[in-house]
Amino acid sequence: MSYDNVEIEDMEWNEELQAFTYPCPCGDFFQITKDDLQLGEEIARCPSCSLYITVVYNQEDFLRDKDKSKKKDLEPAKQLPISVA
């Protein structure tokens, strides 16, 4: 059984870990990555103890982010002028 249910809005983004984090009673942090969320994972684990939480979120919010980045990658590159000598 999960230690707690936590809304994704209550978690903080940690740029260094590239993960959403939430304080664990042991003093460390529960962690879950955007990739995990895009795959439908809802369990954030603490790397220092056996506790875990259930993250409450809308998976579609993270799928849209992934789709946007794919579309951005598919945009044609800007053409640069070429000078001929």
Side-chain angles (χ1 to χ4, degrees):
M1 187 161 99
S2 163
Y3 171 73
D4 199 1
N5 293 335
V6 177
E7 299 277 341
I8 191 74
E9 293 84 8
D10 295 331
M11 299 182 80
E12 289 188 25
W13 176 251
N14 182 307
E15 195 67 35
E16 184 179 328
L17 296 173
Q18 290 292 297
F20 288 96
T21 62
Y22 189 79
C24 180
C26 78
D28 204 345
F29 290 90
F30 296 104
Q31 304 172 12
I32 192 165
T33 66
K34 283 184 182 179
D35 289 339
D36 291 336
L37 296 169
Q38 289 170 346
L39 293 172
E41 180 63 57
E42 58 184 28
I43 300 299
R45 301 182 188 284
C46 176
S48 297
C49 71
S50 61
L51 293 178
Y52 61 92
I53 57 173
T54 301
V55 180
V56 180
Y57 72 103
N58 183 351
Q59 185 182 8
E60 290 178 6
D61 292 341
F62 291 91
L63 292 177
R64 284 190 208 122
D65 286 345
K66 189 175 182 180
D67 290 343
K68 284 180 189 174
S69 66
K70 281 184 182 176
K71 287 179 185 175
K72 188 176 181 181
D73 292 340
L74 296 177
E75 290 178 7
K78 293 181 182 177
Q79 293 183 351
L80 300 174
I82 300 173
S83 62
V84 179

